[in-house]
Every structure is written in C-alpha cells, then in structure tokens.
Amino acid sequence: MSFNSFAYLLFLPLAVGLFAAARARLGPRAAQGCLVVASLVFYGWSRPASLPLLAGSIVVSWGISQWLCRTAEAGRRRWILVLGLALNIGFLCLFKYVHFFCGGLGALGLAEMALPDWGFPLGISFFTLQQIMYLVDCYEGLIPANDLRDHAAFVTFFPTLVSGPLTRARSIVTQLHGPGLKGEERHEQIARGVHGFALGLFKKVVFADSFGRVADAGYAAAGECSTVEVWVFSLAYTFQIYFDFSGYSDMAIGSARLLGIEIPRNFNAPYRARSVTEFWQRWHISLSSFITTYLYTPILRSFEKATPVTAAVATMVAMAIAGSWHGPSWGFVLFGVLHGSALVLHQAWKRRKKKLPGGLSWGLTFAFVNLTFVFFRAPDLATALHFVALLLPVHDDPFEVTTLHDTLKALKLSTIVPTLVAGVVGVFAGKTSDELTRDFRPSYRSSLATAMLVLVALVHMNSRIAKQFVYFNF
Amino acid sequence: MRDLLAELGPIFQEVLDQPGLQLTRTSSALSVDGWDSLAHVNLITAVEQHFQVHFALGELQELKDVGDMVDLIAGKLNPH
C-alpha cells in the first residue's frame, strides 16, 4: 500500500483508531498485537507473496538475538552476531543483487546462469538494515533481546516498514510499552501528525509528481537534449527525488505521530548545504547516521591508526556500500563512489583551513549533487554518462530548447510552471516541513490551510494514476 | 567526584590540536572547528583509553554534544 493512495487514506484512520481503542480498553500489549496485524495488512495489500519473506526475516533475526543474549562467552557471541549479519545481508543479496552478480560473471565470460526472477520483497533494504542495527545493539549489550511480539511490532511498524526513516529498536519498543502522551499534549501530537502528513502528501503528489513528469520526458528523450535541456531535466529529477522522499518521510513521521510514536526527522533542507559533508548531514539523515556509525566507524577503527589516509579508505568503502545499497546497478555504485570521493576531497580541503565564499560553496555542492543524481535516474550507465557529458556546453547547439518547450507544452504550461516555481522556492527558502510542523498550532486558520493542502493533494491524486515512490524500488 | 568535563578538555585540545580550546557541555561537532568524523573516531579512542571505558556503536550514534559524552562516561564509571 502506498502512502499516496486512497486506500491508505482510509487505512490510516482505521489503524490509528483501532490501535487507540485497543490501548485504552485492552492495554499496550494487546494494542501492539493489533498494530502488527494492521502493519501486515498494510504490507501485504499490494504484494501478499512478500509476507512470508518478511515473516521469515523477522523470526530468524529474533531467533538469532535470543540466542545471542543467552550466550555469555565473548567469542561465541561474536560468531552468533556474524551469523546474524551474514543471514540478513545474504537475504538482501539473494533478492536484490543475485542477478547483478550473475550479470557481472557473465560479462567476465564466467558462468552464465539463468535464474528465475523471485521478485523483490517491498522494503527489504530497510527492514534488513533495521534488524542489523538491532542485532548489533543486542551484541553490544545496549538492549535486551526483544520478545517476538516486540520484535514483530518494531520491524513491521507500518509508517517506517517500507522506506524508513531507519529507527532504533529501543526507541520504538520503549514508546510502544509506554503510556504515551495524554490530554492536551496528545491532542497537539495528533494535530502535528495530521499537519505533517498533509505537508508530505502535498510534497509528493503535487511537487514530486510534477517534477517527475518533466524529468521522465527529458530522460526518455535523452538523445535529443541540449546542454540547457540536460540541466533542466536533471534538475527536475533532483527536485523530484527530494520532494518524493522527503514527502514520504513526512508522511511516515506524521503517521507514526498519530499512533503516538515520535521518530526523528529524515531531511533538513539538503539542497541548502554548502559542502558534501553538510549535504549528508541533511539528506536521508537516518541512513547517513547508519553509514557513519555502523560502517565508517568500525572500518576506521579496524586500522591500527586513524589517519587521513585510513579515514579516506573507510569513507570510500562505506559510501560504495551505501551507493550499492540503493540498487543492483553500476549507476548506484558510481553514485556512492562519487560521493565518497567528494567527501574525501572535502576533508582534505578543510585541513588546509581555506574557505570559499558561501555562494560558491553552495553552487559547487548543488551542481555536484545534481550530477550524481543523473546516475540514480538514468535507465542505464551509457545514458547517464551521455547526460553528464552534456552538462558542459561543449557540444553543438547548447542552448537549443525545442525538447523542453515541447515537454512543458504537453504538460500544460499554465499549471505546471507555477507548480515547479513554487517547488523550487520551497526548496531554497522558508521553513522546512519539519519546522512548519513543529511550530504548528491548531487554529481555524491553520486547520483550514491544512485542509486546503489535503484537498489540492486529493485533486491531484484523482487526476491521474499516482506515481509510485522512487524509494519503493530500494 | 571527578570533574569529567575538566578531564575531557586536555584530550580534546590534544586530538584537535587546539591548545586554547575551551570545552563546555554544549560544545559539539557543529561548534568546534576541526571536529569532523575522523577527529571524532580519534577522540573516542583517546577518551576510551583515558577513562578505561568502551563505547558501543549504538551509544556513539546518540552522542550529540560533549554533555552527552560526559553523561555517558559518568554512567559507565558509576553503573547502578
């Protein structure tokens, strides 16, 4: 089930109501059970075949954590952790990367295997990482092993199950066990939940989908684009993916709030970053936190000494993994490698203690980020490289805009251009949706504004088939 | 009662190579120059060696500022 669907708009209040009623009448444990059932309905709605895979992953990780916490001997505990990590990573690789590896083997002239396409359990990249964090936390003695109901509730938690934000087990389980907010504070939490959800829905179905239609047209006509057009179409995708994913995160956080659970923000105006390092502190914050804590730090500490050189190695390895986590293609790996290289360069630059003017830093950062997103979006590496090459005005007719003009005309200039302009303004100026929601106070005016957001979003949703979330593919 | 903040000061000054650095509970990677991810790992290693404690990865993720670090160390030195 997608957040931007009519089915979810019916499901969410039902699930919230059921959870609240169960909590009030039957207690937190029973309410947790109801939440698990609701989450499984949510997950299985579009692809019931994925349910046994999700259930299997949950039971296996839970079993490993129980075994881990019952074992005292340090060496044995380490091996159990390694087993748990190997099973989770193996599970992820089996469904995501096996065809990629086989393709690589085939290209090297080695075994040609025709493997059946098992399909892709929705959210596998996310719920696998969540359980990896959980197993490491158990190993380090930070949390006791969950009982099965807690673990199932944590992993299947429907606001975050499919595309994050990545959350720590302790945070979710503690909040589910707790009494929750009451009275005035609870009412404000619900209001902020509704408001955040409305903002996210608007960002997704109005902004993301509008930018997406421009980007789709551009990438479909990649062979005919000029420099100016490549810039416009690549920027369209850069804005699309931001509104798409941050809108999704807003809806996830809003949905969680309605259930009485607080989860941290996932975006903080990333396109205002003035360095690649700052970008990763503002973009997909839960993932970059995971990369720093669970990849970069252990890799760096495995070296005898943490020096600029070993830090560079750790950065490159961590970012290459992070890039390929997004999907089984060289484009994603290249995305990770490019960002890793930029981070290393930025670290070296900072050590020279020189500073660039703010505007130039921002411009370079944004242009670089825009370039790397070409590798995200292009259907294959050849198209990506062709697009990237065109970003420089070294070809014939760099200012030709026929394709762009035809695209915008087909999408109705009068409606799409104001939307795109408003979107661009929102990205670079004003408060973030997280700040707007934090400052939201229910009043007639603010409630009416929220209702209008939802109404406009519903009209957009009804006008054509909702575009799937970009990050559903990860 | 150990003054953990006072003990952290010289460690930070040495690792970040800033002899004049004044540390407060609200000092963080955002406010202290040179406190990047590499320096962070070196700081953690130096702090662990000095206080003879071990930080779990999950605990590192929760550290937002020096105050969090002081509280974490205090908790490890005086477990209840």
Side-chain angles (χ1 to χ4, degrees):
Chain A
M1 206 187 289
S2 182
F3 284 171
N4 62 320
S5 65
F6 290 107
Y8 187 74
L9 293 179
L10 283 173
F11 167 84
L12 180 62
L14 281 174
V16 167
L18 179 71
F19 182 67
R23 219 171 183 184
R25 302 264 159 82
L26 305 167
R29 298 294 281 163
Q32 235 175 285
C34 293
L35 184 59
V36 172
V37 170
S39 297
L40 292 174
V41 167
F42 167 85
Y43 186 73
W45 187 266
S46 31
R47 221 187 288 177
S50 296
L51 274 170
L53 297 165
L54 173 65
S57 171
I58 288 171
V59 169
V60 168
S61 290
W62 168 77
I64 296 278
S65 70
Q66 290 286 323
W67 188 16
L68 191 55
C69 290
R70 289 201 181 115
T71 306
E73 201 260 300
R76 250 183 116 198
R77 284 171 62 85
R78 192 170 302 126
W79 278 113
I80 298 171
L81 174 69
V82 167
L83 175 67
L85 295 180
L87 285 173
N88 273 288
I89 295 167
F91 183 68
L92 182 63
C93 288
L94 195 63
F95 285 95
K96 242 179 123 160
Y97 301 103
V98 70
H99 294 283
F100 181 50
F101 288 141
C102 289
L105 288 176
L108 290 170
L110 299 166
E112 275 279 8
M113 279 191 279
L115 287 168
D117 192 345
W118 289 295
F120 199 101
L122 210 53
I124 187 172
S125 307
F126 288 89
F127 66 71
T128 305
L129 287 194
Q130 300 239 140
Q131 295 188 101
I132 285 174
M133 285 201 286
Y134 164 69
L135 287 175
V136 174
D137 283 354
C138 285
Y139 171 75
E140 294 187 313
L142 291 180
I143 49 169
N146 286 335
D147 67 25
L148 189 54
R149 192 184 337 202
D150 283 342
H151 192 66
F154 158 61
V155 178
T156 63
F157 188 57
F158 70 81
T160 57
L161 170 58
V162 175
S163 289
L166 295 167
T167 49
R168 305 279 298 284
R170 178 166 59 184
S171 166
I172 302 292
V173 170
T174 307
Q175 291 187 76
L176 284 173
H177 284 181
L181 296 176
K182 299 266 186 276
E184 191 62 34
E185 280 181 329
R186 176 58 183 148
H187 298 152
E188 279 187 11
Q189 186 183 43
I190 293 172
R192 284 203 308 276
V194 171
H195 181 254
F197 185 88
L199 274 178
L201 185 66
F202 190 88
K203 277 161 96 172
K204 163 60 182 163
V205 304
V206 175
F207 288 137
D209 288 358
S210 299
F211 281 107
R213 288 158 86 197
V214 175
D216 286 350
Y219 276 92
E224 296 140 34
C225 292
S226 67
T227 293
V228 164
E229 288 170 332
V230 159
W231 272 98
V232 171
F233 291 129
S234 62
L235 284 168
Y237 180 70
T238 298
F239 288 120
Q240 176 196 354
I241 191 171
Y242 165 69
F243 281 118
D244 193 279
F245 198 19
S246 69
Y248 178 95
S249 295
D250 288 340
M251 286 195 263
I253 293 166
S255 302
R257 271 201 178 116
L258 291 173
L259 292 164
I261 307 291
E262 295 285 334
I263 49 185
R265 69 181 172 186
N266 215 15
F267 289 86
N268 183 21
Y271 295 158
R272 301 181 199 178
R274 284 188 273 190
S275 69
V276 175
T277 307
E278 191 185 346
F279 173 76
W280 283 99
Q281 290 162 350
R282 291 168 173 266
W283 174 273
H284 203 172
I285 295 167
S286 63
L287 179 70
S288 59
S289 180
F290 173 88
I291 296 167
T292 308
T293 307
Y294 294 94
L295 287 178
Y296 173 81
T297 303
I299 293 172
L300 185 54
R301 296 186 86 174
S302 70
F303 291 106
E304 245 195 68
K305 240 186 140 216
T307 65
V309 171
T310 57
V313 171
T315 303
M316 290 303 299
V317 172
M319 289 309 292
I321 295 172
S324 57
W325 169 84
H326 286 86
S329 88
W330 289 114
F332 289 123
V333 178
L334 206 47
F335 173 85
V337 166
L338 284 169
H339 275 274
S341 308
L343 286 166
V344 168
L345 280 170
H346 182 239
Q347 293 299 313
W349 174 265
K350 276 202 305 194
R351 273 189 284 279
R352 286 156 149 258
K353 302 217 194 294
K354 285 187 184 165
K355 270 185 152 37
L356 284 178
L360 186 57
S361 311
W362 168 81
L364 284 172
T365 305
F366 186 64
F368 172 76
V369 165
N370 184 56
L371 183 154
T372 61
F373 276 135
V374 171
F375 292 96
F376 242 57
R377 174 58 181 82
D380 50 66
L381 201 51
T383 310
L385 292 168
H386 171 75
F387 236 59
V388 164
L390 279 170
L391 288 172
L392 289 170
V394 295
H395 302 266
D396 299 330
D397 291 324
F399 301 106
E400 175 68 53
V401 288
T402 325
T403 312
L404 177 61
H405 184 252
D406 292 341
T407 300
L408 291 176
K409 233 174 124 186
L411 296 170
K412 265 208 175 125
L413 278 167
S414 56
T415 45
I416 199 144
V417 172
T419 308
L420 300 178
V421 168
V424 173
V425 168
V427 163
F428 294 117
K431 290 185 182 176
T432 62
S433 51
D434 174 65
E435 287 164 345
L436 287 168
T437 301
R438 185 200 58 207
D439 298 339
F440 179 75
R441 294 289 175 269
S443 65
Y444 281 120
R445 219 162 118 192
S446 63
S447 304
L448 189 65
T450 306
M452 288 308 299
L453 282 177
V454 176
L455 191 64
V456 172
L458 286 175
V459 167
H460 267 77
M461 270 166 66
N462 198 43
S463 65
R464 56 196 142 68
I465 300 161
K467 274 178 74 67
Q468 196 187 51
F469 283 107
V470 172
Y471 266 70
F472 262 29
N473 299 319
F474 303 150
Chain B
M1 191 76 163
R2 284 168 88 166
D3 185 346
L4 298 174
L5 186 59
E7 288 187 58
L8 281 175
I11 299 172
F12 274 68
Q13 285 166 0
E14 204 198 309
V15 172
L16 299 178
D17 194 20
Q18 292 176 42
L21 178 65
Q22 291 301 312
L23 220 57
T24 67
R25 280 186 63 95
T26 54
S27 302
S28 73
L30 294 170
S31 61
V32 175
D33 233 1
W35 186 353
D36 57 21
S37 39
L38 165 58
H40 188 74
V41 170
N42 282 328
L43 280 168
I44 294 300
T45 307
V47 168
E48 285 180 333
Q49 278 170 359
H50 176 88
F51 291 100
Q52 291 296 295
V53 293
H54 173 73
F55 293 119
L57 291 178
E59 289 172 328
L60 293 179
Q61 202 182 34
E62 311 279 289
L63 293 179
K64 297 284 176 284
D65 54 34
V66 170
D68 287 343
M69 199 183 278
V70 166
D71 295 342
L72 189 58
I73 297 166
K76 287 179 184 299
L77 293 177
N78 307 300
H80 296 296

